[in-house]
Amino acid sequence: MRTLVVELAQFIGGTWITPQGPFVADINPARTDDLVARAPLGTTNDVDLAVEGAHSVSAQWARTSLRERGVILARASDLLSQRAQVLGAELTREEGKTLSEGVAEVKRAADIFRYFSAEATREIGSVFASSRDGESVLVVHRPIGVVAVITPWNFPIAIPAWKIAPALVYGNAVVWKPASLVPLLAFRLSEILVEAGLPPGILSLVLGSGSIGEYLAGHRGVSGVSFTGSTDVGRHLARVCADRGTPIQTEMGGKNFCVIFSDAHLESSVKEVVMGAMLSTGQKCTATSRLIVEQEIAEDVMALLAEEVAALRVGNGLDPDVTVGPVASGSARASVLQHLNRAISQGASIIAGGEPYSSGPLAEGYFVPPTVLDLPGRGLDVWREEVFGPVLSVVRSRDRDEAFEMANDSCFGLSGSIFTNDFGWIDRAIRQLEVGMLHVNSETTGADPHVPFGGIKQSGSGPKEQGRAAIHFFTEEMTVYLRPQATRPR
Ligand code: NAP
Ligand code: MG
């Protein structure tokens, strides 16, 4: 596995473009001497060609029946399922999450393509009564045209799938700029869509840096931008799009919380919290980062957290016994360690982990110890800023009202969990907590393909993703006043 270096190519206007260089090295974050792939660096000219290519075929694609487009997605779903083991291993080698997580992510991408492949069998518009006799009012959905898709590295295939599948099935053409850290899985998904029969030009893959993404988002040939990534980049792109009047959907950062009430089953609650905080090395956008516990149970919860985190096995994700892989890059590791140092200098105490690896294979790869911090209060930066690594911060609340107030005291609003059997408080949580996704007695992560996904506040803007919600971004609604006319007398 180690010696295999994949030479990647861009896919533009229906043609694989043989790379000329310069190249970007795609390395394994678990062992940095392992070169996974070599990726070409796209140019603005490549973006122009991709957008022009998409325009030349998009009208034809829009006329293709929904059923026929769905059949191509169903074939892609089959291919993803068949190759889940191989692609999952490549994903692990490229991004670092464990093999079981890598394989599960590829299967999830297959499920997403399967879900959207069935759009032809679902309701795709609505009919209203008219206030005028003999007339009805139809609401129909039409493709928006050429869509720019810009994706992050933390879910190299599932997040692209949940944008590209609905974009295609509703009749749009796509130009995709994936994250620079994960070009291999982007290349693999593009290969699969070609193999599944997607007509040339309907999907282009442009590899390159963030500036290429910015050029694409601001391109006058693009009619919509679907972005997932950091809040800074998302807000910047929203400004770029505002200048052109281009609609944009953003899914951005989070600072997701769990609240454990004193009546909760502590062992099972802590297990869920640790899974939410540490699996995928804490690099899910919905990963738990803040834990709020009622003060009367705080000492018990801390002890359970220490025990649960000590049982995690950190290492190369390809080792089947490993439960936590590396973070995705050297800069990600430096950033997480900097957050930890600052937290400690601001008064946090370490409940688990905390000490960077200084020797052996864990020091050579981009590993960070899963860490739990006990905070003296809410004033620390680590309580407010997204860390994006295996770090959980804990604060104590005086009572339940203060716990909810603490949970909502964040500029982010992606995901949250509450652990209790108290129905009255669960009901209040549904009405009061400021998140796009709320879990009751389960961890903060998870995204079923058939239900809306997305955040509020600075975690996201525009229509939600996945499920029936996806149609709202990837189509334009047209209201049709439909009145039959009397036949002209002859
Ligand atoms: P990022 O740095 O914002 O990058 C996301 C994508 O945007 C990448 O393809 C990146 O390209 C590109 N990009 C960077 N600068 C750009 C610019 N100026 N204009 C246009 N595109 C640009 O985020 P990331 O580090 O890949 O991912 C981690 C972040 O994503 C975290 O904040 C996480 O919370 C968030 N996230 C959110 C969700 C959600 O659903 N809410 C899901 C997953 C991740 P390069 O890779 O080439 O820089
Ligand atoms: Mg980045």
Side-chain angles (χ1 to χ4, degrees):
M1 181 62 62
R2 209 187 132 196
T3 50
L4 193 75
V5 180
V6 188
E7 299 292 346
L8 303 181
Q10 302 190 94
F11 187 60
I12 294 173
T15 312
W16 292 103
I17 308 290
T18 315
Q20 318 265 310
F23 295 94
V24 178
D26 180 6
I27 59 162
N28 178 346
R31 27 188 323 178
T32 53
D33 59 344
D34 178 21
L35 179 63
V36 178
R38 244 191 305 266
L41 259 182
T43 62
T44 54
N45 188 45
D46 294 329
V47 174
D48 289 338
L49 291 174
V51 175
E52 279 161 28
H55 268 284
S56 66
V57 291
S58 66
Q60 177 57 36
W61 180 241
R63 281 194 296 273
T64 309
S65 74
L66 192 52
R67 187 188 164 279
E68 211 174 305
R69 297 194 296 254
V71 166
I72 295 171
L73 264 59
R75 273 192 230 120
S77 172
D78 289 343
L79 292 167
L80 285 163
S81 303
Q82 285 157 20
R83 293 179 199 166
Q85 291 298 327
V86 175
L87 295 186
E90 285 191 331
L91 197 164
T92 293
R93 205 171 144 224
E94 179 173 59
E95 193 267 352
K97 65 183 64 174
T98 66
L99 183 58
S100 61
E101 289 170 332
V103 173
E105 186 182 331
V106 178
K107 289 184 176 163
R108 187 157 147 211
D111 287 347
I112 293 164
F113 273 94
R114 175 71 51 195
Y115 172 84
F116 285 104
S117 74
E119 271 309 273
T121 64
R122 301 192 185 106
E123 172 197 295
I124 50 152
S126 41
V127 182
F128 289 79
S130 168
S131 33
R132 290 156 295 277
D133 282 347
E135 186 181 77
S136 32
V137 185
L138 273 54
V139 178
V140 298
H141 290 264
R142 307 198 309 180
I144 59 179
V146 176
V147 178
V149 166
I150 301 174
T151 50
W153 48 261
N154 65 333
F155 283 96
I157 198 161
I159 289 178
W162 82 44
K163 295 180 187 297
I164 292 171
L168 294 178
V169 85
Y170 296 128
N172 303 285
V174 172
V175 179
W176 177 22
K177 205 304 278 179
S180 306
L181 281 178
V182 290
L184 174 58
L185 266 286
F187 177 79
R188 293 296 188 223
L189 180 57
S190 306
E191 280 184 325
I192 281 179
L193 282 163
V194 173
E195 215 176 314
L198 194 68
I202 299 300
L203 171 79
S204 281
L205 172 68
V206 182
L207 301 174
S209 66
S211 61
I212 288 298
E214 184 160 343
Y215 181 75
L216 171 63
H219 202 287
R220 65 187 162 80
V222 161
S223 340
V225 177
S226 183
F227 168 84
T228 297
S230 59
T231 294
D232 284 349
V233 173
R235 292 177 69 176
H236 175 66
L237 287 183
R239 285 190 289 273
V240 168
C241 288
D243 277 347
R244 303 205 71 90
T246 311
I248 180 168
Q249 164 185 62
T250 65
E251 293 297 346
M252 306 186 285
K255 192 72 195 172
N256 312 298
F257 62 82
C258 287
V259 176
I260 306 184
F261 282 164
S262 52
D263 69 293
H265 186 282
L266 295 191
E267 284 79 5
S268 64
S269 306
V270 167
K271 264 194 201 326
E272 290 285 326
V273 170
V274 169
M275 281 198 292
M278 305 302 177
L279 296 191
S280 296
T281 326
Q283 299 177 116
K284 296 178 187 172
C285 48
T286 49
T288 309
S289 179
R290 300 183 291 147
L291 172 62
I292 300 156
V293 291
E294 284 193 270
Q295 60 191 2
E296 66 223 70
I297 53 165
E299 295 318 310
D300 291 345
V301 168
M302 297 293 182
L304 287 167
L305 283 168
E307 212 175 283
E308 212 42 59
V309 171
L312 297 170
R313 269 209 58 193
V314 179
N316 187 333
L318 290 173
D319 172 348
D321 295 330
V322 159
T323 48
V324 177
V327 292
S329 66
S331 61
R333 179 177 64 176
S335 156
V336 177
L337 293 179
Q338 200 184 347
H339 277 288
L340 281 181
N341 286 337
R342 192 147 35 104
I344 290 160
S345 73
Q346 291 176 353
S349 30
I350 296 169
I351 298 297
E355 195 56 44
Y357 303 112
S358 55
S359 61
L362 295 183
E364 282 155 29
Y366 299 135
F367 292 95
V368 175
T371 297
V372 180
L373 300 173
D374 182 354
L375 307 194
R378 279 187 268 174
L380 285 72
D381 294 332
V382 75
W383 188 252
R384 310 222 156 252
E385 295 170 6
E386 186 177 46
V387 177
F388 225 57
V391 177
L392 176 70
S393 298
V394 191
V395 299
R396 297 158 168 76
S397 72
R398 265 191 323 274
D399 55 29
R400 295 180 174 195
D401 283 308
E402 191 190 41
F404 275 21
E405 192 259 307
M406 286 171 155
N408 284 343
D409 179 20
S410 168
C411 63
F412 296 110
L414 189 57
S415 180
S417 298
I418 167 175
F419 292 88
T420 182
N421 280 321
D422 185 328
F423 183 77
W425 278 93
I426 293 170
D427 181 55
R428 277 180 69 165
I430 295 168
R431 285 181 288 111
Q432 289 177 6
L433 292 177
E434 296 164 0
V435 285
M437 284 147 322
L438 178 69
H439 294 255
V440 179
N441 296 319
S442 66
E443 51 138 324
T444 49
T445 78
D448 284 358
H450 60 295
V451 291
F453 178 90
I456 60 170
K457 294 158 99 174
Q458 287 183 27
S459 292
S461 63
K464 297 270 191 281
E465 301 197 82
Q466 302 208 90
R468 298 300 294 150
I471 199 168
H472 296 298
F473 183 74
F474 290 107
T475 65
E476 283 165 350
E477 282 182 337
M478 180 197 244
T479 308
V480 182
Y481 294 88
L482 184 67
R483 190 187 302 179
Q485 200 185 36
T487 318
R488 183 150 63 101
R490 287 178 186 275

